[in-house]
């Protein structure tokens, strides 16, 4: 016979579910959005569980589906616990205490959901059900919709290699010690379209752009334009008609008018590009991307899972109106 849950356990799980599903615990995700996310991941999770059980049994199922003991944490609670952990990095023991279970019950749940979240890809603004999973998808979408991209890189502090191990210096960055770098691509409204190209902190952003195929995508999609910062000046030199970087600073002995023109051009370019910094800031609100305490080998999967959730929220945001960055002279009115 199947073990039935006690009434006290049901009440505890209900209270924990009601509290943790609040947007404050889930990074601003609404309860309706969480319900759609659970429904989306239920099929892949069930298929993965059945595949693991079949491999363990060594054959087909001998009893009907649903036979045997129930999970102490149902699938909806597993997704909720994982999202809260990714948002706040709460200890597994604390989450287990909220549900009235043991820590070994929560830990496997948190480990099995991130791969499903990472495989979802990134949401397309205004196109429900369509996901961008590769760089080719992002550039094809930008070319078809006439979207001007914003590209920038960011760093996350990771654990330091032990002394004597090869590759210890690969993660040493110029800004921070022992970091992992990623590249973020958004649109002019600050909505995240793609985030990836994970590499050690020592690798330059320009090198990552070439090794990950971003430069090749610009060749394949000549109609796509992008704005970048000074770290991608080489890419702007290779694609002057498609990639716009901040203008170069004039010499110290240049005329004063030329220096003022350079400052104004730099201000306009920065004003148009700053939205990608806000996009990265949305990712940085999630605790693992502020300082990653897990193994470096699992950072890329965790980052992809969080970035997909951030894109879900940003895709629901309406487009921002494009404001003019030109100077407007004030006119004095006389009575």
């Amino acid at each position: 016979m199947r073990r039935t849950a006690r009434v006290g356990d049901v009440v505890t799980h209900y209270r924990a579910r009601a509290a943790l599903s609040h947007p404050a615990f889930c990074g601003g995700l609404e309860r309706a959005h969480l319900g759609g996310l659970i429904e989306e991941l239920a099929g892949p999770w069930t298929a993965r569980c059945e595949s693991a059980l079949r491999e363990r049994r060594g054959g087909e199922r001998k009893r009907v589906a649903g036979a045997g003991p129930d999970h102490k944490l149902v699938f909806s609670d597993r997704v909720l616990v994982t999202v809260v952990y990714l948002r706040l990095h709460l200890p597994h023991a604390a989450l287990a205490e909220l549900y009235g279970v043991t820590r070994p019950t929560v830990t496997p749940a948190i480990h099995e959901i991130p791969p499903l979240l990472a495989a979802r890809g990134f949401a397309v603004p205004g196109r429900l059900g369509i996901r961008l999973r590769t760089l080719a998808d992002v550039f094809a979408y930008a070319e078809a919709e006439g979207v001007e991209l914003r590209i920038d890189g960011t760093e996350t502090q990771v654990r330091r290699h032990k002394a004597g191990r090869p590759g210890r210096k690969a993660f040493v960055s110029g800004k921070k010690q022992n970091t992992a770098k990623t590249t973020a691509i958004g649109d002019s409204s600050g909505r995240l379209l793609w985030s990836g190209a994970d590499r050690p902190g020592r690798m330059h952003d320009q090198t990552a752009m070439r090794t990950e195929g971003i430069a090749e995508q610009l060749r394949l999609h000549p109609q796509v334009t992008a704005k970048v910062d000074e770290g991608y000046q080489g890419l702007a030199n290779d694609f002057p008609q498609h990639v716009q970087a901040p203008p170069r600073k004039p010499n110290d002995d240049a005329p004063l008018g030329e220096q003022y023109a350079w400052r104004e051009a730099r201000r306009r370019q920065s004003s148009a590009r700053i939205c990608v910094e806000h996009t990265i800031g949305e990712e940085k609100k999630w605790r693992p991307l502020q300082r990653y305490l897990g193994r470096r080998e699992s950072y890329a999967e965790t980052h992809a899972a969080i970035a997909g959730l951030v894109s879900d929220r940003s895709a629901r945001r309406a487009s921002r109106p494009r404001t003019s960055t030109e100077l407007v002279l004030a006119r004095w009115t006389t009575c």
Side-chain angles (χ1 to χ4, degrees):
M1 296 178 62
R2 299 179 62 182
R3 182 180 58 85
T4 58
R6 294 179 300 176
V7 176
D9 295 340
V10 174
V11 174
T12 301
H13 289 193
Y14 174 79
R15 290 177 177 176
R17 189 181 306 125
L20 295 183
S21 60
H22 191 275
F25 289 95
C26 301
L29 301 179
E30 301 293 338
R31 288 187 171 94
H33 185 193
L34 288 174
L37 180 65
I38 293 171
E39 183 179 357
E40 178 184 352
L41 299 180
W45 179 78
T46 303
R48 177 171 294 189
C49 290
E50 290 296 330
S51 177
L53 288 174
R54 188 180 186 282
E55 183 177 356
R56 188 173 9 174
R57 289 192 304 262
E60 297 295 337
R61 174 187 292 274
K62 297 181 180 179
R63 293 188 292 181
V64 297
D70 295 330
H71 291 287
K72 293 183 179 180
L73 279 180
V74 297
F75 176 68
S76 58
D77 290 329
R78 290 169 178 261
V79 174
L80 183 59
V81 166
T82 303
V83 173
V84 174
Y85 174 77
L86 292 177
R87 175 63 179 88
L88 301 175
H89 226 160
L90 293 178
H92 294 188
L95 294 171
E97 186 66 24
L98 290 174
Y99 275 95
V101 296
T102 59
R103 186 183 60 83
T105 302
V106 173
T107 300
I110 293 178
H111 288 167
E112 66 185 12
I113 300 300
L116 302 178
L117 294 173
R120 296 173 62 240
F122 303 86
V124 178
R127 302 289 184 87
L128 297 179
I130 301 179
R131 313 288 297 187
L132 304 176
R133 292 180 171 83
T134 62
L135 275 174
D137 296 340
V138 175
F139 279 83
Y141 162 74
E143 186 176 34
E145 300 292 335
V147 177
E148 186 179 37
L149 302 178
R150 306 292 192 272
I151 306 176
D152 199 4
T154 183
E155 297 183 2
T156 302
Q157 188 174 357
V158 295
R159 286 184 176 181
R160 185 181 183 183
H161 269 72
K162 291 185 178 180
R165 289 191 176 183
R168 188 186 188 195
K169 296 183 178 180
F171 288 85
V172 178
S173 171
K175 297 181 180 179
K176 302 177 182 178
Q177 292 291 324
N178 302 286
T179 63
K181 287 186 176 181
T182 54
T183 300
I185 301 179
D187 60 5
S188 58
S189 297
R191 296 173 295 193
L192 183 64
L193 299 178
W194 186 83
S195 186
D198 305 280
R199 72 273 188 191
R202 193 172 185 178
M203 182 182 295
H204 195 271
D205 293 341
Q206 179 72 21
T207 306
M209 293 279 285
R210 302 183 185 281
T211 57
E212 294 296 331
I214 296 180
E216 182 64 24
Q217 291 298 326
L218 287 171
R219 295 189 182 93
L220 296 176
H221 302 85
Q223 303 299 325
V224 177
T225 58
K227 283 183 170 60
V228 297
D229 63 0
E230 292 179 340
Y232 304 99
Q233 188 66 52
L235 190 70
N237 296 337
D238 296 340
F239 302 93
Q241 303 298 328
H242 312 293
V243 180
Q244 182 188 24
R248 293 183 178 275
K249 184 178 180 180
N251 298 329
D252 295 337
D253 56 350
L256 191 61
E258 184 177 346
Q259 295 184 11
Y260 285 156
W262 168 76
R263 291 179 183 177
E264 177 61 20
R266 183 182 179 89
R267 184 191 68 82
R268 294 184 183 182
Q269 201 272 350
S270 177
S271 178
R273 191 193 57 84
I274 195 63
C275 56
V276 70
E277 302 287 354
H278 300 160
T279 301
I280 295 175
E282 291 187 36
E283 295 185 81
K284 291 296 185 178
K285 292 179 181 179
W286 295 69
R287 191 59 61 85
L289 299 188
Q290 298 174 9
R291 183 178 180 181
Y292 188 69
L293 301 178
R295 295 180 177 271
R296 289 179 301 275
E297 294 78 7
S298 61
Y299 170 76
E301 182 178 87
T302 303
H303 175 263
I306 294 175
L309 295 174
V310 172
S311 72
D312 289 345
R313 184 186 178 190
S314 63
R316 298 170 181 265
R317 188 170 59 238
S319 301
R320 299 175 183 174
R322 295 184 179 181
T323 57
S324 175
T325 59
E326 297 182 1
L327 294 177
V328 179
L329 297 178
R331 177 180 300 177
W332 292 91
T333 58
T334 58
C335 299

